[in-house]
Amino acid sequence: MEQLKCCVLIPTYNNHKTLQNVLEGVLEYTKSIIVVNDGATDSTREILEGFPEVKQIHLPENKGKGNALKVGFKKALELGYEFAITIDSDGQHFPEDITVFLDALEAESTKNVLYIGSRNMNQDDVPGSSSFGNKFSNFWFWFETGIRLKDTQSGYRLYPLKEIGKLKLYTPKFELEIEVIVKAAWNGTLVKNIPVQISYDDEERVSHFRKVPDFARISVLNTWFVLVALFWIKPRDLYRKFRKKGIRKFLKEDVLHSGDSPKKKALSIALGVLIGLSPIWGFHTVTVIALAVLFKLNKVIAFAFSNVSFPPFIPFILYASLKLGALITGEELVLSSDEMTENLGFITHLKTYIIGSISLAIVAASLFAIIAYFVLKIFESKKIAINNG
């Protein structure tokens, strides 16, 4: 703990049944402890009076776990610590796992790392709601950062304090634990899981997580992060790769993805064409990137081909959609070029347009996929033949 300049940070609120045991357990490993009493109204203050060796911060009123963590981070930095291991005061974490974090940090190649204790969510005593909530959180963290984790909700963590100090953190309650790992990952911090033990003792453990309001707050935060990821973080990362690699290397590795199979590239093209010709004007970009991420396709190729409906071709696409829609529905359709380009007469045939547009998108996407697959397969075969001499 001393060599790594690490402390243990314990935010607590009305956990008088378990707080003393938690503190006694942690003291077996270190005296570098900071407890943030988040305005507790039980006997927390009296319990802490029995631990004068522990650094204590008493907040006048309860403002939430996120606020307590931010106060603790700030105090830890002021005291000269570089890392903080956070442990909940409800007794679900095992103090002996402190050594697991320290061993991992000592062996890590970078010290710009944030560890999240990965719990065994398949234990018999794990509530079903906790397991579902964790899977839900894991999915959105992956969507927002591209990092796959088994557990994103555990409060047993090791934080790199200097890196966390660079982040602008706004949320005050449980959602801060999501905010901090997403923003840290976006900022270049390595975020990863390490295995820890977990205990759910219903008789002693008191959770202050309110399922409806706190889940709603986390959902709103994830919605915002998804938008930021799609419109800022992912384009930013692509631009940084372009600047770092140069146009030739960038095109080869990130656009063409020379390692991707012809099937994956063809499906990426098909997705781009399908979305680009679909009648969801204004939402093509966000939809195609979201689906490319979801289905693990080539995002750059999919995005490029989604621009098949760029301005010069829009009138032709609208006309083809209407004609195909009329053919399918049997509707008699007569439109002049003026109605198409100036008066937007196709709006009066909206049903026909939507049916035709979706049909055109499916047909075009299928054709592009088939042609692209065979062309890419031929190029792959020639490349293999050349490499084999």
Side-chain angles (χ1 to χ4, degrees), residues 13-15 174 206-210 214:
Y13 174 68
N14 288 358
N15 281 125
F174 286 100
V206 177
S207 174
H208 300 289
F209 185 86
R210 302 166 300 167
D214 287 323

Side-chain angles (χ1 to χ4, degrees), residues 286-298:
V286 65
T287 303
V288 76
I289 293 178
L291 291 176
V293 170
L294 180 62
F295 294 113
K296 301 179 183 179
L297 298 176
N298 187 308

Side-chain angles (χ1 to χ4, degrees), residues 239-266:
Y239 177 72
R240 286 178 176 177
K241 284 183 180 180
F242 175 78
R243 289 288 302 273
K244 182 179 180 180
K245 296 180 178 181
I247 186 169
R248 186 173 181 178
K249 190 175 181 181
F250 175 79
L251 288 172
K252 181 179 179 181
E253 295 181 0
D254 295 276
V255 177
L256 298 178
H257 279 232
S258 55
D260 286 348
S261 66
K263 179 181 177 181
K264 184 174 181 179
K265 291 177 182 177

